[in-house]
Structures are given as structure tokens and as C-alpha cells.
Amino acid sequence: MLQCSMRISAAGLAFLVTAAMSSSAVAAVPGAPVGPGTLTGAEKPLVIAHRGAAQHAPENTLAAVDAAHRRGLVWVENDVQRTKDGKLVVIHDTTLSRTTDAEKVFPGRAPWRVGDFTRAEIARLDAGSWFGKRFKGERVPTLAGYLHRLDRNDQRLLLEIKAPKRYPGIEAQIVRELRAHGWLDRAHVRSRLVIQSFCVACIKTVHELVPQVRTGILGEPGVDKLARYARFTDQINPRMSAVSSRWVEAVHRLRGAHGRPLEIYAWDAGKDGSARGASMRRIEGVIA
């Protein structure tokens, strides 16, 4: 996601976790059995663990995936980028400074961009100590390793293509990686995978490459753009504070690429009051 802090109140997170654990049918497939536009305010929105359970473990690590799993969170969101030698890794920032010890290990390599380091170099970095001592030695995972852990935990993935302009062709590479690890079979495509990005052209490319895969566009596009985007996407995923009832109604009036009404999964919920507001706004889920 954007360089934002997905902080949410303890009460809000407790509400969302309770919702996820008490509605297993909803957690299995976004938008089902409760369809877009049908939330009444009494029903609970789906919670998707932002960068894993990032309040309990270092973000975008396997420890965060496991922390989400222990808390009953079925869906996990991550960010995917590419190394200098063409390997796909799971990390949010386009630089390594904030969530690893890259500045210490490679002091002469400023500004420590992900794409300037090989996979082997990134594998040397500690991606856990910044969060807490008990996570010392946690590594930046490859996408392959991340997919394997999700399969082991029987979890689902909302995958964000991060900063795609830095990595030409990354859409096709992600598709190849997903296929190589079994994530384009019928079971995964039907209920365990969504690919999203702020880059509209990238999502259109993904749809052209694998039209069976559900996709989402991040941000708050104008109402005049929604019909065009609906041809190749299934979700419009905005910042919570940018959502208005009129905009939500406009999104829900349209059917997406797979014939179902467009869904909305809002992020940055902590900046917009309680998580309960998501259901009051008739939003299907929250990335938190």
C-alpha cells in the first residue's frame, strides 16, 4: 500500500478479528455469501490482514503470515517487488532502510533501493529486529516462500504489485510465479487469490494475461472512470477516509470483469474512526 501507517485502534481491530472468525463463509471468498451492496450495518465486513498481522509481527514476513493465521485471519495482503537479479520478494517500501538492517550491512549502498540488490544480498538482511528482539533474524521472503507458507496455513492472498514502473514486465513475471507454485489452479483462482495495484494499466495487463483471476484497483477513481475499469477489474479499493455513500453506490451499481457487482475493500481504516464504520458504509471489507 502507500507509505501510510495502517494503525487501527485496539477496539477496532478486535471488532474486525471477531468478524473474521465468526463468519467463516464470508472469510472464504470476498463478497460471498453477502453480495456487494447488501451490507446492512448489522453484518460484519471481511478483514484482510495488511502486510500480515503487522501489529503483532514485522510486516510482510512469514512471521506476520503466521501471526495472522493464529488470530484466525484467513486473508493476507502483501507487496511484491523485484531484486536486481530478477527475483520476486515481498516487501512494502521501495528501499530497504526502514524494515531491514541494510544500512548497517551495506553502508556504502545508499539509498538502498530494493531493485539495486540481488536476492542473495537481501537474504543476508535482518528484517525482524526493528520490530522486536524476538524477531531477530527474520528475513525478507521470496514470493515463492510466501505462497508456500500461505498454502501451509490454508490462507488466501491479496497481492499488491508494488511500484511497477520500477520493474517493467513484473506483471507477467508474477503470473509465471503464481502458475509455477500452483496458485493458478481452479481452487486458488476461485476463492484464494486477488491481484491489486494503484497502476490501472498493470491491472488491465494482469486481466489480459490471466482473465480468470480476480483483480482490484487501489485508490478512488472518479465515477466517470468506473464503467471502463469494470471491464477488467472486480474490486475498487479506496482509502477509507475518501469513501462517500454516493461513491459507494456508484461502484456497487456496476458489474466487474467476472459478472458480479464491484466490491470495495477499504484501507487506512484507522484514520477514519472505528472499523464498524465499514459495515455502516456498506463496504465489503477492510484491509487492516
Side-chain angles (χ1 to χ4, degrees):
M1 306 292 291
L2 286 176
Q3 300 281 357
C4 66
S5 174
M6 280 289 297
R7 300 295 180 187
I8 190 167
S9 68
L13 184 59
F15 169 78
L16 285 172
V17 171
T18 300
M21 296 180 72
S22 63
S23 301
S24 59
V26 175
V29 185
V34 180
T38 66
L39 294 179
T40 65
E43 294 153 345
K44 307 298 192 296
L46 173 70
V47 60
I48 299 173
H50 182 239
R51 308 181 202 170
Q55 293 194 353
H56 303 281
E59 64 183 59
N60 274 326
T61 63
L62 299 185
V65 171
D66 291 341
H69 178 58
R70 289 193 298 272
R71 287 163 176 79
L73 298 173
V74 176
W75 280 87
V76 176
E77 182 265 356
N78 73 359
D79 307 275
V80 178
Q81 298 187 60
R82 187 166 66 203
T83 66
K84 184 178 181 180
D85 55 340
K87 305 300 182 182
L88 296 176
V89 292
V90 177
I91 187 169
H92 175 270
D93 295 7
T94 56
T95 64
L96 297 159
S97 302
R98 181 176 64 87
T99 58
T100 78
D101 59 349
E103 293 185 17
K104 177 181 178 181
V105 177
F106 300 107
R109 301 278 294 276
W112 299 281
R113 295 187 186 93
V114 173
D116 291 340
F117 289 78
T118 65
R119 169 56 194 155
E121 289 173 331
I122 291 176
R124 293 173 53 190
L125 303 177
D126 180 345
S129 291
W130 69 275
F131 188 89
K133 291 182 180 179
R134 68 191 182 96
F135 294 105
K136 181 179 180 180
E138 193 69 28
R139 302 301 175 190
V140 175
T142 62
L143 177 58
Y146 201 92
L147 295 173
H148 176 76
R149 185 60 60 91
L150 290 174
D151 266 334
R152 192 192 76 173
N153 293 346
D154 196 25
Q155 289 170 290
R156 289 110 167 111
L157 176 61
L158 176 60
L159 184 157
E160 180 180 343
I161 304 175
K162 189 70 180 180
K165 291 183 179 180
R166 293 175 178 262
Y167 313 110
I170 192 172
E171 304 95 332
Q173 185 176 3
I174 289 172
V175 167
R176 289 194 298 270
E177 191 90 334
L178 290 168
R179 180 175 288 113
H181 295 281
W183 275 71
L184 293 184
D185 65 14
R186 184 176 181 181
H188 285 82
V189 167
R190 183 172 61 87
S191 62
R192 296 186 61 186
L193 176 66
V194 179
I195 299 176
Q196 67 174 359
S197 181
F198 284 98
C199 173
V200 174
C202 297
I203 291 305
K204 186 177 181 181
T205 296
V206 170
H207 180 70
E208 291 169 349
L209 290 170
V210 278
Q212 70 273 31
V213 171
R214 288 176 297 157
T215 60
I217 292 173
L218 284 159
E220 309 85 37
V223 172
D224 60 320
K225 297 179 180 179
L226 292 174
R228 177 163 59 90
Y229 292 173
R231 298 171 188 168
F232 52 85
T233 197
D234 304 275
Q235 300 176 1
I236 305 293
N237 298 339
R239 185 190 295 269
M240 177 72 87
S241 59
V243 170
S244 69
S245 59
R246 181 176 296 181
W247 186 85
V248 169
E249 290 172 3
V251 173
H252 283 160
R253 279 198 297 268
L254 295 168
R255 292 190 175 272
H258 293 95
R260 290 170 53 182
L262 286 175
E263 298 175 323
I264 299 172
Y265 292 84
W267 48 276
D268 211 6
K271 295 181 182 294
D272 194 55
S274 73
R276 195 176 297 275
S279 59
M280 296 303 295
R281 293 179 186 215
R282 299 163 69 89
I283 293 171
E284 287 74 32
V286 179
I287 304 168

